[in-house]
Amino acid sequence: MVSRDSGDLDLLNPARATDPADRTGFTSTGHLPARGTVSGLLRDAHATYATLDDGTVADYIPSLAAADPSRFGISVCGVDGTSFSIGDAQEAFSIQSISKAFTFALVCEAIGHTTVREAVGVNNTGLPFDSVMALELNGGSPRNPMVNAGALVMITLAPGDSAAAKWQFLQEGMSRFAGHRLLLDVDVYESEAATNHRNRALAALLRSYGHMSYDPLLTTDIYTRQCSLLVSAMDLAVMGATLADGGVNPLTHERVVHPSVCRDTLAVMATSGLYQRSGDWLYEVGLPGKSGVSGGIVTVAPGKGGMATYSPRLDPAGNSIRGQHAIRSLSRSLGLNVFASAPEPAPAPGTQTP
Ligand code: GLN
């Protein structure tokens, strides 16, 4: 067991130093299994689910429709920086909604646990990621940062007086999570920018409810850019491992966010990372995760590492089908479910517990 005291780090950020929720210690337990075991289990999961052809590729963003449905990659990165990959783990695709988890972390780092909760909320909507009804049912509150409305509000809260400054903050921050500069997929960006009427409507509706403090169209444009950043499953595994490692990138050793920000980000991923399927996901996998409509899923085993999959065939909620199966299987075989416990051995007869 590794115990880390966060007290000294709190002093680095006055917004957090005054927040009692961020004054607790941090505990990580356990490790990933041995190298050979992880790579064998990865191979098994890939072979088992590569033949699953259920689901369809997203086509409401025209350029996503061109994705090859047969692609399938899995990558795991431990907090010690060791990584394991199989299949199309280096294939680049647009990060889409997975960006929401990292934008949340970066903005939470900048403005603090309590402010983001008050501005956006941390409860699941139970409705699709682009739901207008969810806003109307909740007095214009996005409810959580893992749906489009919540992600739009998070962008308004990002540091920077101009759209360019906010975008620079987000692109540089996400690149630090990945350990190298993440670039924009210009085709995906232009394709989504030409068709994202619904997101522009969500931003305008948020504005009408007084929840959008920055220009709605500029905010939607930054959101579209962040969704168009190119990543691979290998990148996402490193980004997840950074969240698993108290905010330190295990490859570059750079501190990207504070451990308390990882804790908060993982909490919202656990409750809302797979939209209205988040309950099913947590029940089956027992780990925080975040999916995107291009077919990626990032999963975090706190204190142990990050796992990521890429396969563009989606369920009706917009979550990769092979990805969900593969990660459920790996969570079980690698022993990662955070809710699983084994009973403490009974004391030997005649011994006294203190
Ligand atoms: N850019 C996409 C959208 O706004 C992201 C959605 C997703 O990945 N679920 O529709």
Side-chain angles (χ1 to χ4, degrees):
M1 177 191 286
V2 181
S3 264
R4 285 175 275 193
D5 185 352
S6 66
D8 55 341
L9 294 168
D10 284 342
L11 298 175
L12 297 175
N13 185 331
R16 273 197 309 270
T18 54
D19 191 335
D22 292 322
R23 292 202 146 277
T24 51
F26 299 89
T27 304
S28 307
T29 56
H31 304 277
L32 289 177
R35 253 198 110 74
T37 310
V38 179
S39 47
L41 291 170
L42 228 57
R43 262 198 311 277
D44 291 350
H46 190 270
T48 305
Y49 298 109
T51 53
L52 203 60
D53 282 339
D54 297 343
T56 48
V57 172
D59 59 4
Y60 75 99
I61 298 171
S63 72
L64 295 188
D68 177 351
S70 69
R71 295 292 190 201
F72 185 30
I74 313 178
S75 187
V76 174
C77 179
V79 292
D80 62 357
T82 47
S83 68
F84 314 84
S85 294
I86 182 132
D88 301 308
Q90 295 195 58
E91 170 99 0
F93 57 94
S94 56
I95 187 168
Q96 297 300 335
S97 263
I98 299 171
S99 61
K100 291 167 177 149
F102 299 97
T103 292
F104 175 82
L106 293 164
V107 175
C108 192
E109 171 83 6
I111 67 175
H113 170 94
T114 306
T115 311
V116 290
R117 182 191 185 144
E118 284 168 0
V120 180
V122 290
N123 287 311
N124 196 306
T125 64
L127 289 166
F129 59 81
D130 58 355
S131 175
V132 174
M133 202 184 349
L135 272 183
E136 292 289 12
L137 288 173
N138 293 295
S141 164
R143 301 279 284 185
N144 76 73
M146 301 293 114
V147 293
N148 294 13
L152 288 163
V153 174
M154 291 308 295
I155 288 167
T156 69
L157 302 172
D161 293 335
S162 64
K166 285 179 187 293
W167 170 237
Q168 187 183 354
F169 171 81
L170 294 173
Q171 185 177 16
E172 287 179 356
M174 278 194 228
S175 299
R176 284 201 298 277
F177 269 108
H180 67 94
R181 185 161 176 78
L182 296 181
L183 301 174
L184 201 69
D185 182 326
V186 177
D187 281 348
V188 171
Y189 166 68
E190 287 177 352
S191 177
E192 185 166 357
T195 54
N196 62 359
H197 309 292
R198 197 175 178 88
N199 288 335
R200 281 181 248 164
L202 284 171
L205 193 57
L206 284 161
R207 178 74 161 207
S208 79
Y209 275 110
H211 288 299
M212 168 131 318
S213 56
Y214 194 64
D215 181 88
L217 285 179
L218 292 176
T219 303
T220 310
D221 184 63
I222 300 169
Y223 169 78
T224 309
R225 284 173 190 273
Q226 79 167 43
C227 289
S228 305
L229 285 174
L230 280 167
V231 289
S232 63
M234 278 175 86
D235 289 329
L236 288 176
V238 174
M239 294 171 84
T242 303
L243 288 175
D245 192 28
V248 174
N249 182 311
L251 300 187
T252 63
H253 306 291
E254 184 183 2
R255 171 167 293 288
V256 184
V257 290
H258 186 273
S260 69
V261 167
C262 296
R263 177 202 63 199
D264 294 343
T265 306
L266 298 182
V268 290
M269 286 167 69
T271 54
S272 307
L274 278 83
Y275 319 112
Q276 66 273 40
R277 297 291 314 274
S278 300
D280 288 312
W281 166 267
L282 205 54
Y283 191 67
E284 296 294 343
V285 175
L287 292 169
K290 184 75 202 84
S291 67
V293 287
S294 47
I297 301 182
V298 65
T299 310
V300 180
K304 300 191 180 89
M307 289 192 284
T309 52
Y310 172 57
S311 169
R313 289 179 184 274
L314 309 179
D315 70 11
N319 304 313
S320 168
I321 291 183
R322 286 182 192 163
Q324 290 176 79
H325 281 282
I327 296 298
R328 183 191 57 176
S329 156
L330 286 168
S331 170
R332 290 178 185 178
S333 57
L334 294 169
L336 300 178
N337 189 318
V338 296
F339 302 113
S341 57
E344 180 76 5
T351 50
Q352 267 202 318
T353 43

